[in-house]
Amino acid sequence: MDFRERLQKAANRGARQRQARESAEAAEALSEEECRRRHSQHRLELSEHIEECVRQLADNFPGFRTETIVSDQGWGAGVTRDDLHIAAGKRTNLFSRLQVVVEPYNEYHVVSIAAKGAVRNKETFTRKHYEPISDFDREQFQELIEQWVLDYAELFAAA
């Protein structure tokens, strides 16, 4: 085999490697787009469930105001409440809140929910849960959201 034939074979191998690399990059881009699509779908399902649970919490404890949360921290809902406490002639404002959000899509390809809350001026409630998008279990996430809202309701009622 002379040099010209070897040169031609090397050029052909290089072209095949480039095509394989481009195909792999295209497949990865599709899977990235698929992950984004799935995350968006799961986010919509969970944020609706969050809104429903938080609304029921506000219905059970008069004085809470509900709000929809759409921010760089995520999508979800929250409740806030300001109470006035007067003791021995002193006035104290007591602030309570709970917010539960589905966090934005990230490079780790996970669905993540977070909750934080305060009861009468004390940050007493922080929860977070995440799973890979490929392992997403809607029922498990919904049960967690419900449990977190129940936990907060118990903390608020006990205070």
Side-chain angles (χ1 to χ4, degrees), residues 28-62:
E28 184 177 323
L30 287 175
S31 65
E32 179 72 19
E33 187 58 35
E34 177 65 15
C35 284
R36 284 185 184 279
R37 187 190 66 73
R38 284 185 180 182
H39 184 275
S40 180
Q41 176 186 2
H42 300 323
R43 174 182 52 87
L44 288 171
E45 292 171 353
L46 292 176
S47 61
E48 287 175 4
H49 190 69
I50 290 168
E51 286 183 39
E52 179 60 32
C53 290
V54 168
R55 189 176 309 112
Q56 289 182 32
L57 174 71
D59 290 344
N60 196 53
F61 292 102

Side-chain angles (χ1 to χ4, degrees), residues 9 17 19 31 34 64 66-67 76 84 87 98 101 136 144 148 159:
K9 286 184 178 186
Q17 288 175 352
Q19 288 173 345
S31 65
E34 177 65 15
F64 273 108
T66 61
E67 63 182 353
L84 176 64
L98 171 68
V101 296
F136 179 77
L144 274 172
W148 292 353

Side-chain angles (χ1 to χ4, degrees), residues 10-24:
N12 290 340
R13 281 194 309 270
R16 283 193 302 272
Q17 288 175 352
R18 184 186 73 238
Q19 288 173 345
R21 184 180 65 244
E22 289 172 352
S23 294

Side-chain angles (χ1 to χ4, degrees), residues 57 96-98 118-119 125 148-156:
L57 174 71
S96 299
R97 72 173 168 84
L98 171 68
V119 176
F125 192 82
W148 292 353
V149 171
L150 293 173
D151 291 348
Y152 180 81
E154 187 175 336
L155 284 173
F156 182 79

Side-chain angles (χ1 to χ4, degrees), residues 48-111:
E48 287 175 4
H49 190 69
I50 290 168
E51 286 183 39
E52 179 60 32
C53 290
V54 168
R55 189 176 309 112
Q56 289 182 32
L57 174 71
D59 290 344
N60 196 53
F61 292 102
F64 273 108
R65 294 176 309 279
T66 61
E67 63 182 353
T68 300
I69 298 171
V70 178
S71 70
D72 58 344
Q73 295 176 344
W75 296 265
V79 291
T80 59
R81 176 179 170 148
D82 291 316
D83 292 316
L84 176 64
H85 179 70
I86 299 175
K90 288 191 164 188
R91 174 184 170 173
T92 306
N93 290 333
L94 300 173
F95 177 75
S96 299
R97 72 173 168 84
L98 171 68
Q99 63 178 199
V100 184
V101 296
V102 180
E103 295 181 330
Y105 179 77
N106 60 44
E107 69 272 12
Y108 303 112
H109 306 287
V110 296
V111 175

Side-chain angles (χ1 to χ4, degrees), residues 103-131:
E103 295 181 330
Y105 179 77
N106 60 44
E107 69 272 12
Y108 303 112
H109 306 287
V110 296
V111 175
S112 176
I113 56 175
K116 60 182 178 178
V119 176
R120 295 187 167 85
N121 294 346
K122 294 182 183 177
E123 290 282 337
T124 58
F125 192 82
T126 304
R127 306 284 191 276
K128 189 165 188 150
H129 180 75
Y130 61 90
E131 281 187 16

